[in-house]
Amino acid sequence: MSRYRDVALFFALALLWGASFVAIEVGLDYYPPVLYAAYRFDLAALVLVTYVLVTEAAPLPRTRGDAAAIGFSGGLSVAVNNSLLFVGQQYTTSGIASITYSLVPIATAAVAAAWIGDSDLDARGGLGVVLAFVGVGLVAQPDPANLAGGVTVGVGLISVGVIAVAVGSVGLRTVETSFSSVALTGWAMLFGALLIHGFSLGLGEPQRLPSTALPAIGSLLFLGVLASAVAYVIYFTLLDRLGPFEINLVSYVVPVVATVTGAVLLAEPVTALTVAGFAVIVVGFGLLKRRAIATEVPRLLSRIAGLF
């Protein structure tokens, strides 16, 4: 029964994170982008911090390591990343944004090699990183006559956000914390939400209360509660049960969900270059993680076979 539950949770996570890119597109019609990101994490932090305070015996940060972890995660993975993601999605489709975001595992490996000397990145792994960024270039569909506008700008901003996530993730490996991953995520969301509100004010965005229009309410609730608070609880549950390789595979299901959902619900176009770029990114991931694939894929296949 637990195997079926893990499969169900994996695809639930992919659906929630994939549909989140579509929800961002919907909400951008009602909010300035950075303020919208702030409201997402106001709501997410409210839900997750409340959950942590009620369910955990040691929910509060107590050490310098806890504070540093909240800084890395809340400052980079939440605040910088999501501010750039929401601004970038003004220029892209949800499918293109999600494909660009699938760079996260690859960028994280590259940052780990540079920062903490992770030995997994050899020559073929380096080629995989290069291929992944070539794939993003295909997805961006650069127009030499207009490199300062359109999809290229959106993909560029989201790519910088991806690097922020990678730096934040690797930074977390350099500190020791005294509380759970779920608690860390809750406090990071709270810290990140405060920073994003500061970014919004600093950028001069008009400050307004959340919209009462039904699409705006629905997209914000989906992003704050389901795609953030609930999704991260699922993520950490699966991380403990499956391990980092298998849970990273969700990054390559999410773009499929986002692209199909965006095409069906928002009539977003899907071009051959977009599909080709995603394929190149997946090949890059395969080269980078070839050792893990050789070790983990047989185990994964045996898990799947055990379901039948």
Side-chain angles (χ1 to χ4, degrees):
M1 185 62 69
S2 63
R3 292 176 180 175
Y4 290 104
R5 185 187 69 175
D6 290 346
V7 171
L9 287 175
F10 180 92
F11 283 104
L13 182 61
L15 287 170
L16 290 175
W17 278 352
S20 70
F21 291 93
V22 179
I24 291 171
E25 292 286 346
V26 172
L28 286 172
D29 289 337
Y30 300 90
Y31 299 99
V34 180
L35 182 63
Y36 186 26
Y39 281 149
R40 172 186 184 172
F41 286 98
D42 289 340
L43 187 54
L46 175 64
V47 174
L48 202 52
V49 169
T50 300
Y51 171 80
V52 166
L53 291 174
V54 170
T55 61
E56 300 207 3
L60 299 175
R62 300 188 301 275
T63 68
R64 290 183 179 179
D66 294 342
I70 291 169
F72 278 124
S73 187
L76 293 171
S77 298
V78 174
V80 174
N81 165 49
N82 280 275
S83 296
L84 291 169
L85 172 63
F86 278 61
V87 174
Q89 273 205 237
Q90 295 179 113
Y91 303 95
T92 71
T93 65
S94 50
I96 288 175
S98 65
I99 291 170
T100 307
Y101 209 76
S102 70
L103 274 178
V104 167
I106 298 167
T108 301
V111 171
W115 186 349
I116 60 178
D118 193 319
S119 60
D120 286 343
L121 190 64
D122 58 9
R124 279 185 284 180
L127 176 61
V129 173
V130 172
L131 276 177
F133 280 93
V134 169
V136 168
L138 292 174
V139 169
Q141 303 168 29
D143 177 3
N146 186 28
L147 290 177
V151 175
T152 305
V153 168
V155 170
L157 291 171
I158 296 167
S159 297
V160 175
V162 164
I163 294 170
V165 173
V167 174
S169 299
V170 176
L172 286 178
R173 301 185 198 177
T174 68
V175 298
E176 294 185 5
T177 59
S178 66
F179 53 7
S180 72
S181 297
V182 175
L184 166 60
T185 302
W187 294 114
M189 286 179 174
L190 179 59
F191 177 56
L194 293 173
L195 284 179
I196 299 171
H197 275 292
F199 295 162
S200 177
L201 286 168
L203 290 169
E205 289 185 339
Q207 303 299 299
R208 62 185 71 161
L209 293 174
S211 172
T212 57
L214 187 58
I217 294 172
S219 61
L220 183 57
L221 286 173
F222 179 85
L223 285 171
V225 178
L226 296 178
S228 297
V230 173
Y232 274 96
V233 172
I234 294 173
Y235 172 82
F236 288 117
T237 299
L238 289 177
L239 183 62
D240 289 339
R241 292 181 60 84
L242 302 180
F245 175 77
E246 290 183 34
I247 196 61
N248 271 339
L249 294 178
V250 79
S251 298
Y252 299 95
V253 181
V254 165
V256 177
V257 173
T259 301
V260 172
T261 305
V264 172
L265 297 183
L266 304 179
E268 293 180 340
V270 181
T271 68
L273 271 180
T274 300
V275 176
F278 180 53
V280 172
I281 293 170
V282 172
V283 170
F285 176 81
L287 280 173
L288 179 64
K289 297 293 186 180
R290 65 190 185 282
R291 295 191 186 96
I293 290 171
T295 301
E296 297 293 337
V297 166
R299 187 167 68 89
L300 178 59
L301 292 175
S302 68
R303 281 175 175 268
I304 296 171
L307 298 176
F308 302 101

